[in-house]
Structures are given as C-alpha cells and as structure tokens.
Amino acid sequence: MRFIFINKSNQLRAGWEVLLAVAAMFVLKRICMLGLSLWTDSGDGWARLFNGLGLYILLVVGFVVKVIRKKPLASIGLVRPDGKRLLTGFLSGTLLLSTIIVILLALGIANVQGDWLHPKWGRIDFVDLFIVSILAGISEEVLCRGYIQQLLSSRLSPFWAMAIISAGFSLGHMMNGGFTWISALNITLVSLVFSGVTILTGNLYFAVAFHTAWNLFQGYVFGVAVSGHPVEGIYSMELQGVSWLSGGSFGLEGSAITTLVLGLVCAAMLIAGRKKTSGHKEAVDDPRYHSPLR
C-alpha cells in the first residue's frame, strides 16, 4: 500500500501533495469565513476577498514552499520582481485580447453599445476588478504555473506538467455559467500559453501580467463576461449570433474565433521553443563552445 502514497525516491507522490495543498486552501477558507461571519456580512465591500480562493492559494503555496519544502519562492518562479516581464506580459495580454475583439467587431459578431469617446467609469466595481483580474491573475499563476508546474516537471517532465495543468485548469472552470466544449478547449489553450511563456521566460511575471491583462480588458474595459463571470466595464459590448462563434454567456473564451487565435499563438510558441532548443544544441556542439561540463 505504501507505493500508492510514496514514490521510489521516498517522496509523497505529486498528486497527493497537490490534493493536500488544495484541501488546505478550502479548509483555511472555511475557517476564515466562519470567523468573518461573526462580525460582518462577508458579501460586503472588501470582505468579498475572503469569499474566493485567491488569498488562501497564496498563503498555502507560500507555506508549503517556504516552510514544508524549505525552498525559496524563486524555485516556483517568484524571483526578484521583473519589470520588463511584467510590462511585456501586460502588453501582450492586452494586444491578444484586443485582436480577438477587433476580429469579432469586423465580422459583425460583436458591437459596442454607446460612444467610444465616453467610457462609463462609474460602472466599475473596483473590489470585483481586484478579485477577478489582479488577485486571480496572481494566485492562479502562482498555484498552476508556479507550484504545480514546478512540482510535476521535477517528477515527470515539462511536457506532462503542461498537459496535466492545462486539463486541470480547464476542468476548474467547468462549473462556470455557459461552459461548453469550445470553452474547455480555449481554457486549455490559454493555459498552454501561460505555461509556455513561464518556461520561456524563466519566471512567473510575464504569465501573471498576461493573465491579469486578459481578464481586465475582457471584463472591465469591454464589458464581456470573464470565464462565465458577468461583469460591467467602461464599455458595454454585445455578443450576437450563434454562441459557438460569439462565445455566448461564457464570454470571449467560449468563441471559436478565440480558438483560432490561441491556436496560432501556441503554434508560434512551439516553433520558438524548438528554435531555442536547436540553437542551444548547435552552440553546445560547436567546438568553440567550452562548457564546464565537458
């Protein structure tokens, strides 16, 4: 029976470690919610932060890495803040999301209600913006592309780590409103993008900023549902036509247009990764390359 829980290296198997960490997040959330309910309405104002898992993800992952595994946060990609990666990640997420919006507008699948020159700033719920865009972007990347990807890569391989995380990330959105098989595919593809850029850049900051910008512009700028979570933005965009093309109530992540765009991005990243690997191999094989390992 021991082999079910312990691997050949006398380590707790990765699956059980992840399950225990996730269980700890839900237990911590339950304890905090019970305590919070004694003195306030947990649905009001900033108290809503305690309703989601974001805070508990950061606390549990930090505890597991620093206290239990006794490793620095840099081991999961949280090295010294990288301003360049944060900026380029945010711009990339903004550009990619805006590209999808432009295609939908050009095809007549979406249209903007009101005037572009008069954004409705009063619609923004800044607490909700922080939870859905910023906290979700940070916590989900720390958990998935940081902690779990690092763990599975060390036990299996980067390929299997990306595959398992992407499938799990997609299933994690299954209970959201309007979820379809296209939504499942798109969440898988965007997860592969996040995992790929984490590997290519060597830290989490590009993926965190990309994820944040993706949610921010989709929901709080263009007013489209974020993964089935309805929000109001400074603009109001109506998606029309068949849901498999427009995304329906799930938002842009339920659209076949998004599938096409994300598929092209994944293909480009695969080519870039192969060129990087090939370039490194050629450098190592070059007799002028003096490796300390030779």
Side-chain angles (χ1 to χ4, degrees):
M1 288 293 291
R2 186 174 183 273
F3 77 93
I4 297 176
F5 302 98
I6 305 297
N7 64 18
K8 294 180 180 179
S9 301
N10 205 33
Q11 300 169 312
L12 181 65
R13 292 191 180 276
W16 290 112
E17 182 174 329
V18 172
L19 284 175
L20 286 173
V22 171
M25 295 168 197
F26 281 99
V27 169
L28 184 60
K29 175 186 174 181
R30 184 61 177 168
I31 293 172
C32 289
M33 290 299 294
L34 285 173
L36 191 66
S37 66
L38 296 177
W39 61 274
T40 186
D41 181 353
S42 59
D44 287 344
W46 287 99
R48 281 181 283 162
L49 283 171
F50 297 93
N51 284 329
L53 278 174
L55 287 177
Y56 311 111
I57 287 173
L58 297 178
L59 289 172
V60 170
V61 170
F63 181 82
V64 170
V65 174
K66 294 284 291 182
V67 179
I68 297 179
R69 302 181 70 187
K70 294 181 172 58
K71 291 186 176 182
L73 293 177
S75 68
I76 60 169
L78 289 175
V79 297
R80 186 173 62 181
D82 187 337
K84 179 181 178 181
R85 299 296 188 195
L86 285 169
L87 178 60
T88 54
F90 191 86
L91 292 176
S92 297
T94 301
L95 178 61
L96 187 61
L97 195 281
S98 298
T99 297
I100 296 169
I101 291 287
V102 168
I103 294 173
L104 291 174
L105 289 172
L107 294 176
I109 299 170
N111 65 79
V112 178
Q113 308 294 307
D115 188 352
W116 282 106
L117 299 178
H118 297 90
K120 307 293 185 181
W121 295 101
R123 291 175 176 167
I124 301 297
D125 181 335
F126 287 98
V127 176
D128 197 59
L129 182 152
F130 178 81
I131 295 171
V132 175
S133 294
I134 300 174
L135 185 59
I138 296 172
S139 62
E140 289 178 11
E141 294 311 306
V142 167
L143 175 63
C144 297
R145 259 59 64 174
Y147 170 59
I148 298 178
Q149 182 160 304
Q150 183 275 333
L151 176 63
L152 294 181
S153 293
S154 66
R155 303 286 181 87
L156 301 172
S157 70
F159 171 81
W160 282 110
M162 290 175 65
I164 293 170
I165 290 167
S166 296
F169 195 64
S170 182
L171 290 173
H173 292 76
M174 190 167 60
M175 300 305 294
N176 294 18
F179 189 83
T180 65
W181 69 268
I182 295 180
S183 306
L185 177 58
N186 286 340
I187 297 294
T188 299
L189 289 174
V190 79
S191 179
L192 289 172
V193 171
F194 294 152
S195 290
V197 296
T198 298
I199 292 173
L200 289 173
T201 60
N203 63 49
L204 284 178
Y205 297 114
F206 189 103
V208 164
F210 192 116
H211 195 156
T212 298
W214 178 273
N215 288 350
L216 178 67
F217 277 81
Q218 182 175 191
Y220 299 94
V221 174
F222 295 112
V224 179
V226 180
S227 301
H229 178 77
V231 296
E232 287 193 321
I234 59 175
Y235 298 108
S236 179
M237 181 165 289
E238 180 186 9
L239 300 176
Q240 52 197 18
V242 291
S243 59
W244 65 268
L245 200 56
S246 68
S249 62
F250 197 80
L252 301 183
E253 291 160 350
S255 169
I257 301 298
T258 304
T259 308
L260 176 62
V261 174
L262 289 176
L264 291 173
V265 172
C266 287
M269 290 179 61
L270 180 61
I271 293 171
R274 285 184 174 178
K275 285 184 176 179
K276 183 177 180 180
T277 303
S278 176
H280 177 72
K281 184 178 184 300
E282 288 176 3
V284 171
D285 291 340
D286 191 322
R288 293 171 296 177
Y289 178 85
H290 300 290
S291 170
L293 299 178
R294 290 194 170 195

